[in-house]
Amino acid sequence: MALKRRNFPVQGMGCAACVARVEGALKACKGVRSVSVSLASNLARVDYDTDVCTPSDLQKTVRDAGYEMLVDGSDDEAESEAERAREDAFRALRRDTVIALALAALEMLISMGFKDFPGRGIVLLIIATAVLGICIRRFFKPGFKGLFHGGANMDTLVSLSVTISYLFSVFNLAFPQVWTARGLVPQLYFDSCTMIVAFILLGRLLEEKAKQGTAGVIRGLMGLQPRTVTVRRVEVSEGMPLVREVDIPVGKVVPGDVVVVGPGARIPVDGVVSSGESYVDESMLTGEPVPVLKSAGAKVFTGTINQQGSFHVRTEKVGGDTLLSGIIRMVRDAEGSKAPIQRTVDRVAAVFVPVIIGIALVTLLCWLFLAPGNGVTMGLLAMVSVLVVACPCALGLATPTAIVAGIGNGASRGILIKDAESLQIARKIDALVLDKTGTLTEGKPSVVESVWDPAITTEDDPAALNLRDVLFSLEKCSDHPLAGAVAASLRGCERLPVEGFEAMLGKGISGLVAGRRYYVGNTALLHEVLGEVPAATSPLVSQSIGPFLDAGYTLTLLFDTEKVHAVLALADELRDSSVLAVRSLQDKGVEVHMLTGDNAVAAARIADETGIKHVYAEVLPQDKARYVKDLQAAGKRVAMVGDGINDSAALAQADLGIAMGQGSDIAIASAGVTLVSSDLSKIGELMRLSRRTVAVIRQNLFWAFFYNLLMVPLAAGALYPWTGWLLSPMVAAACMALSSVCVVTNSLRLRK
């Protein structure tokens, strides 16, 4: 099985019923494992088996359901094509809205102000027919297509209401004697027909404009990618190498190319500065407003902005492999995901339109039986009002627009949220578990002191050089931060062949060098392998271990089965934001815990500086996951923050996993949230954003349900027996349009 996830733009969806229809069709497609369709972003996120179905199969399935799905090219290409289609559709909608409003205003003027105008009914019929031409294209085609494909939607309700108003008015105009013979005055409702179309088009125009605002993050991120780039090319001229700078499309840049970045330019690739220096604005990726100095050896990323200076960048990643592309993919996936509460809304939306049509028919029958005098006219008006006032759009937009706006807000602040569920759960966190190295600290430990066996401390002694080479060679086989720090301190060493390399998580490493097994690790590994420090160990080495531990240093020991050859003391500095971030979270009632594989003294030193009361040191990776599980068993909602492979199990176990942006790919994949800047203060921002987003979702859902529960009975004439008041179809159309706009506009508040 080859499982693949893609985000496909879907065209033609207008309400929650459309979403349910598309989602149901895709779920029924053979080979599809999971589907999530968002009305706010018009995306279908599909996990499918490439051995069983293809994008063309998915496209055919959606097309058979009455909609269109773009599948050609990559996600970015499909998104660009969909964006062009959205812009064209928005311009056409704006044109139709202006025409409909102008004709509706003329219709109302003639209807209300020129009652004795000769041929008034014919003129009203002509204007209404012109508006109906717009309606046929906008509502009739998708509305009745939905019926033919086994599902009704918002367009179906509009089509039915406009058709009933129009045909009833045509009948009254053509056969007025049917009513005059019964002592009744035939009424024309062409003005209601045109105003319904005009108001609904106006509502959709405002709704689309607002939706563009909530979903603008993806477009903004895609706009950060430069189209062309200046690279240095070496050409041979008359037998001499000549370096030239040429402009090429960014798609033709390959790893290894040297890119020239001038003042004020956006950096087009991920890479390392090879020469020059300048300050770079990375706020669009990290949310940090202060520019960062970049000089030779510093990493730079696509989309960030160079300030005053200029420099050369050796390309490492291009196109879809860059950090920016990864962020776009993550945000796109997140925008296509659904919050748990949305599943309930989807079940309601799936039956909403058929229920409303049923209520409209019952309304007509009630008027016919309870008001036989003019029950036909009043019943038809009430039926049209019910069809028009009901709004599945508000239901469909309530949750996804808030999710899209909230996730976009987070992305702009350097908080990458993997899915809607992670955003929703963040507000409930009451226990935060932090890894020490790379999370609370910079994750860049350095060797501050080392003690070697005196028998090999002479630099001219081949044995001394050999053991330093041994340590260097073993550490170069490991990707642990401590290993990198130790290797960096051993300058001028030769890398020797290592066989039988073995990594013991949370303890250290071992390997065969020149046929002899050496171990590099902490005191836990020493005790596991040897039990205690061998007697053959130099007193200078053995006596240094205790003081180093008491001082809170992290120790790395080089030993074999005979003795300890060296002890290296390492220290790691706290991040600038750690102390304030921890205290801020504690002030909010969050219980902060620190877990580390480091020794207890080093852990206690960091805990004292940060004010963390719950500290557990010398913890193995599996113990971290077990500790998180114990907190959950005690009724805590736990967030785990980590950056390494050894944190991945705990990140997956926690209710919410938060990975540091500078951490390992496995940690990031296991987490629901990634902090691009690795700034712990972003956790407080995440929790605030979660609370605001859920509050907006609740407000939107309350409005959507309350609106329909209130307006549908009013439109049916619930107050007529006592007040003589009946909701006009024109007012019903205005209310329906306003309801969707209110929901989307409320969600837009999350962008601030």
Side-chain angles (χ1 to χ4, degrees):
M1 181 177 70
L3 200 62
K4 185 174 183 179
R5 169 174 289 181
R6 280 198 59 185
N7 292 280
F8 298 105
V10 180
Q11 297 176 337
M13 296 191 301
C15 67
C18 300
V19 171
R21 178 70 182 158
V22 172
E23 205 164 80
L26 285 170
K27 284 180 178 178
C29 184
K30 188 177 180 181
V32 172
R33 294 293 178 266
S34 68
V35 180
S36 179
V37 180
S38 171
L39 181 61
S41 58
N42 290 320
L43 286 177
R45 190 184 72 181
V46 187
D47 294 336
Y48 64 98
D49 186 349
T50 56
D51 294 336
V52 179
C53 64
T54 65
S56 296
D57 296 330
L58 301 176
Q59 184 182 50
K60 183 178 183 302
T61 298
V62 172
R63 193 172 286 163
D64 290 343
Y67 304 89
E68 187 60 50
M69 188 165 79
L70 304 178
V71 300
D72 294 333
S74 65
D75 283 359
D76 288 345
E77 291 169 342
E79 178 71 21
S80 298
E81 183 181 347
E83 181 63 25
R84 288 191 294 271
R86 274 195 293 268
E87 290 173 356
D88 293 341
F90 184 78
R91 285 192 291 269
L93 176 61
R94 183 171 55 195
R95 180 199 63 218
D96 289 350
T97 302
V98 170
I99 294 172
L101 285 170
L103 292 175
L106 179 61
E107 183 98 354
M108 287 297 296
L109 178 65
I110 296 173
S111 177
M112 304 298 290
F114 298 90
K115 292 187 178 295
D116 298 327
F117 180 72
R120 170 175 169 272
I122 300 299
V123 173
L124 294 177
L125 171 63
I126 293 171
I127 297 174
T129 303
V131 174
L132 198 66
I134 298 174
C135 187
I136 289 173
R137 186 178 69 257
R138 287 278 171 193
F139 304 114
F140 282 35
K141 185 178 178 181
F144 288 113
K145 183 190 288 185
L147 278 178
F148 294 148
H149 286 89
N153 54 32
M154 182 66 210
D155 292 324
T156 308
L157 296 180
V158 175
S159 300
L160 287 174
S161 60
V162 171
T163 301
I164 292 169
S165 300
Y166 182 81
L167 293 180
F168 184 55
S169 299
V170 170
F171 179 84
N172 288 351
L173 181 64
F175 307 104
Q177 62 274 14
V178 173
W179 305 106
T180 55
R182 291 171 171 78
L184 299 173
V185 178
Q187 300 291 332
L188 301 180
Y189 298 100
F190 291 123
D191 52 355
S192 296
C193 174
T194 56
M195 290 304 292
I196 288 171
V197 174
F199 276 134
I200 291 176
L201 286 176
L202 178 61
R204 287 201 173 177
L205 183 70
L206 297 174
E207 178 186 312
E208 284 299 317
K209 186 68 175 175
K211 280 170 64 179
Q212 288 176 10
T214 63
V217 173
I218 287 286
R219 289 190 295 273
L221 289 172
M222 292 179 69
L224 296 178
Q225 298 174 310
R227 302 293 180 222
T228 59
V229 57
T230 302
V231 298
R232 290 168 63 86
R233 293 280 194 243
V234 178
E235 299 177 356
V236 178
S237 177
E238 298 180 356
M240 297 291 293
L242 178 65
V243 178
R244 295 183 55 213
E245 294 183 357
V246 295
D247 292 336
I248 62 173
V250 71
K252 293 186 177 181
V253 179
V254 297
D257 279 345
V258 176
V259 175
V260 179
V261 182
R266 287 195 184 276
I267 297 172
V269 296
D270 285 5
V272 176
V273 176
S274 58
S275 64
E277 68 175 20
S278 178
Y279 282 91
V280 174
D281 179 3
E282 296 182 333
S283 60
M284 63 288 301
L285 297 183
T286 66
E288 301 297 330
V290 180
V292 181
L293 178 63
K294 301 290 184 178
S295 55
K299 286 186 174 294
V300 291
F301 302 100
T302 303
T304 54
I305 303 175
N306 181 28
Q307 300 286 287
Q308 301 298 323
S310 61
F311 51 85
H312 296 162
V313 176
R314 185 166 299 280
T315 304
E316 291 185 340
K317 295 180 180 179
V318 294
D321 296 328
T322 63
L323 174 64
L324 179 62
S325 294
I327 291 174
I328 291 173
R329 281 194 299 273
M330 184 177 285
V331 174
R332 186 184 283 123
D333 283 347
E335 289 184 348
S337 65
K338 291 190 176 184
I341 196 172
Q342 180 67 21
R343 299 185 187 106
T344 303
V345 178
D346 288 345
R347 286 194 289 270
V348 173
V351 298
F352 184 88
V353 174
V355 167
I356 291 299
I357 292 174
I359 292 174
L361 290 173
V362 170
T363 298
L364 175 61
L365 293 174
C366 288
W367 277 97
L368 290 176
F369 286 110
L370 299 177
N374 60 347
V376 174
T377 302
M378 301 297 283
L380 284 172
L381 285 178
M383 180 182 183
V384 169
S385 295
V386 168
L387 291 170
V388 172
V389 82
C391 189
C393 300
L395 277 176
L397 292 167
T399 301
T401 52
I403 292 296
V404 168
I407 286 172
N409 183 311
S412 67
R413 295 170 177 269
I415 304 170
L416 304 183
I417 302 166
K418 185 177 290 185
D419 52 41
E421 189 169 358
S422 297
L423 178 60
Q424 188 172 334
I425 198 70
R427 80 191 199 283
K428 297 181 179 179
I429 296 302
D430 55 10
L432 183 70
V433 179
L434 299 168
D435 176 50
K436 180 178 76 70
T437 305
T439 302
L440 282 165
T441 65
E442 292 286 353
K444 299 175 182 177
S446 59
V447 177
V448 295
E449 197 167 345
S450 63
V451 177
W452 290 80
D453 188 328
I456 57 169
T457 54
T458 305
E459 293 294 335
D460 296 333
D461 187 340
L465 292 175
N466 180 264
L467 279 175
R468 283 184 167 81
D469 291 344
V470 168
L471 179 58
F472 176 78
S473 303
L474 286 167
E475 294 288 45
K476 291 298 283 186
C477 294
S478 174
D479 60 359
H480 195 281
L482 294 181
V486 171
S489 71
L490 298 169
R491 298 179 182 179
C493 290
E494 179 185 353
R495 186 168 183 177
L496 305 174
V498 177
E499 298 177 350
F501 179 81
E502 182 182 354
M504 290 148 281
L505 286 178
K507 296 177 183 178
I509 58 176
S510 74
L512 291 168
V513 180
R516 187 178 184 88
R517 182 162 290 277
Y518 292 91
Y519 298 86
V520 179
N522 55 23
T523 54
L525 180 62
L526 174 69
H527 295 318
E528 181 180 299
V529 176
L530 301 179
E532 58 183 17
V533 178
T537 301
S538 164
L540 183 64
V541 173
S542 59
Q543 292 171 11
S544 68
I545 296 175
F548 282 159
L549 290 175
D550 292 341
Y553 291 128
T554 299
L555 299 190
T556 291
L557 291 77
L558 170 65
F559 60 95
D560 54 24
T561 55
E562 294 181 359
K563 63 178 179 178
V564 178
H565 297 288
V567 178
L568 291 85
L570 297 94
D572 193 6
E573 296 298 321
L574 268 178
R575 293 184 184 276
D576 293 336
S577 62
S578 293
V579 176
L580 289 177
V582 169
R583 290 176 182 172
S584 175
L585 290 167
Q586 289 173 333
D587 290 343
K588 292 179 173 65
V590 178
E591 199 174 86
V592 181
H593 302 247
M594 183 176 75
L595 300 184
T596 177
D598 210 344
N599 65 77
V601 178
R605 180 174 64 86
I606 296 296
D608 288 341
E609 292 183 36
T610 56
I612 297 176
K613 298 179 176 61
H614 306 278
V615 183
Y616 296 86
E618 300 180 20
V619 176
L620 297 176
Q622 58 268 30
D623 296 331
K624 292 183 180 181
R626 192 179 302 116
Y627 184 82
V628 170
K629 196 171 184 178
D630 290 342
L631 285 176
Q632 291 170 325
K636 298 289 187 181
R637 290 294 183 95
V638 184
M640 171 70 194
V641 187
D643 71 321
I645 295 174
N646 60 342
D647 299 318
S648 57
L651 288 168
Q653 174 64 45
D655 296 285
L656 178 64
I658 302 175
M660 308 300 272
Q662 298 169 359
S664 71
D665 292 342
I666 294 177
I668 292 172
S670 302
V673 175
T674 300
L675 307 180
V676 177
S677 64
S678 299
D679 182 354
L680 288 178
S681 65
K682 297 291 182 181
I683 297 174
E685 292 184 29
L686 169 66
M687 295 175 71
R688 285 194 297 274
L689 179 61
S690 175
R691 284 192 291 270
R692 288 184 61 209
T693 302
V694 172
V696 167
I697 289 173
R698 287 174 173 169
Q699 293 162 9
N700 287 349
L701 288 175
F702 172 79
W703 169 252
F705 280 107
F706 173 77
Y707 165 83
N708 283 292
L709 289 173
L710 175 68
M711 297 305 295
V712 170
L714 289 180
L719 296 181
Y720 188 82
W722 297 280
T723 64
W725 181 78
L726 188 65
L727 187 68
S728 161
M730 287 183 286
V731 177
C735 291
M736 192 280 291
L738 185 63
S739 67
S740 296
V741 174
C742 286
V743 165
V744 180
T745 304
N746 190 42
S747 296
L748 278 174
R749 295 190 300 116
L750 288 169
R751 295 187 67 197
K752 298 182 179 179

